[in-house]
Amino acid sequence: MRKGKQIIVFLLMGLAALAVVSCSSGNGEELMNFHAEIEWKIPDPALGERPRILFVGNSHTFYNNFSGMFVNIVEAKGKKSSVYELSQGYYTLKKFSDLEDKGGALLDKTLNKQAWDIVVLQENSQEALSETADEDMFPYARILDEKIRARGGQTAFFMTWAPRDGLKDGIKKRSREELQQIMAANYMEIADELGSLLIPAGIGFMRCAELYPEIELWDNDRRHPSPEGSYLAACTAYALLYQESPENCSYTATLEKDIAIKLQEIAADLILK
């Protein structure tokens, strides 16, 4: 990490209607068109000269130093930021909203200690994929959003991605597209209800997987992001929060330049076009 970067990581130890196409999932269900144009809510007010941004989540957030990638993109594009991260493996929004939980207490202290322009919330995949998200996810998203707004900040939800090979649900196998549709619907519903921002990284994954199947976005465990996946997510976050294309960014992490260019384009098309 280059000298001068303002990023501190706290690692705890111990919107729009769904667009569909007339194709079937194999279970008689229509699938979301991940290439449909969606008008995403933009930051209001727009980010200032050096916005304070807090990323809150679990391993999907801290894998591959995602927040560090985001800072590098911001700086390479000639912008400034003060970025912080509070993350812990397996954490849920429920745990982060619980003052009796170590992580929840630290997040509450962090939110109250100083003002934040943007607080990015990432839910655990199990809760984000739940078909009872109104019980498993939404109540805790509301609690955290209320705290963020009380301090004058804006909430942004970080939509992650479905497992690469889908999941088996009892005797039925759900494809990653089916799972991403559930996740997208849940994130879009709560973001729409709260009037919050939404970083649709998971939709970017689906677009990239269709357009460039040779780019591996998932890690070997087929759940967490590869460096390519984290870079795509960071480009998507930059495009949404700064309302500027990440294209022509000189920072490409450890990726081949041609791959980074493709990921930049996908993020720009998803958010700004």
Side-chain angles (χ1 to χ4, degrees), residues 83-122:
V83 174
Y84 297 74
E85 178 188 315
L86 176 55
S87 58
Q88 169 65 23
Y90 302 105
Y91 255 53
T92 62
L93 296 187
K94 180 178 181 179
K95 291 176 76 67
F96 275 122
S97 66
D98 182 2
L99 296 181
E100 299 300 315
D101 181 89
K102 184 172 161 182
L106 180 54
L107 176 57
D108 186 70
K109 180 180 178 181
T110 303
L111 292 176
N112 288 312
K113 187 175 181 180
Q114 54 194 328
W116 298 94
D117 295 292
I118 303 285
V119 179
V120 181
L121 302 177
Q122 179 245 312

Side-chain angles (χ1 to χ4, degrees), residues 215 252 255-263 265:
I215 299 179
T252 59
L255 312 184
E256 297 286 341
K257 185 176 180 179
D258 63 324
I259 292 177
I261 288 173
K262 291 174 181 176
L263 299 176
E265 290 174 348

Side-chain angles (χ1 to χ4, degrees), residues 239-273:
L240 190 286
L241 297 179
Y242 281 84
Q243 285 296 291
E244 180 178 280
S245 173
E247 293 170 294
N248 301 312
C249 179
S250 60
Y251 170 73
T252 59
T254 59
L255 312 184
E256 297 286 341
K257 185 176 180 179
D258 63 324
I259 292 177
I261 288 173
K262 291 174 181 176
L263 299 176
Q264 293 168 9
E265 290 174 348
I266 288 171
D269 287 343
L270 174 59
I271 301 299
L272 302 172
K273 296 179 182 178

